[in-house]
Amino acid sequence: MFTIQSIYRLDSDLVTVKVTMNAKAWLDYRNKGQLGSLYGVDISNQVYRLSGVKASCPIVDDHAKSKNGVKVLELTYADAEWVEIDNVIRVDFAKRCRAA
């Protein structure tokens, strides 16, 4: 259905997620009025499972045209609570260094 390509933190409050999915499937969601559940539930739950980011209520950029039947979506989530997981390096963004 969709594939998460990347999850990266813009700053201590914002996380951006790039997602690709079949363009026809995206059109089906749009035509049925189900993009909100796709973005706010399905993709958000997958982001949480993969990265520990408590993602909800995304800002979505889905205006890019499809290429070769693939739709690229960019979702930005507000996440002030960074869950500690093994592969996360804590960073002090103000000082531009690793946090203690």
Side-chain angles (χ1 to χ4, degrees), residues 3 9 20 34 44 49 53 68 74 77 79 82 100:
T3 304
R9 187 165 290 278
T20 57
Q34 296 176 341
S44 297
R49 282 187 211 109
V53 173
N68 299 325
E74 186 171 304
Y77 294 97
D79 175 44
W82 194 338

Side-chain angles (χ1 to χ4, degrees), residues 22-37:
N22 183 295
K24 288 183 181 181
W26 183 84
L27 283 173
D28 288 340
Y29 275 96
R30 187 191 70 182
N31 293 338
K32 293 177 184 176
Q34 296 176 341
L35 287 178
S37 68

Side-chain angles (χ1 to χ4, degrees), residues 9-76:
R9 187 165 290 278
L10 295 174
D11 58 25
S12 60
D13 294 328
L14 297 175
V15 176
T16 297
V17 179
K18 288 200 178 187
V19 177
T20 57
M21 70 180 298
N22 183 295
K24 288 183 181 181
W26 183 84
L27 283 173
D28 288 340
Y29 275 96
R30 187 191 70 182
N31 293 338
K32 293 177 184 176
Q34 296 176 341
L35 287 178
S37 68
L38 172 67
Y39 301 151
V41 178
D42 298 339
I43 295 175
S44 297
N45 288 341
Q46 187 68 18
V47 169
Y48 180 70
R49 282 187 211 109
L50 292 175
S51 66
V53 173
K54 292 186 178 179
S56 63
C57 302
I59 298 168
V60 182
D61 179 10
D62 60 3
H63 298 297
K65 291 188 177 187
S66 301
K67 293 183 182 177
N68 299 325
V70 177
K71 181 78 170 173
V72 177
L73 310 167
E74 186 171 304
L75 297 89
T76 303

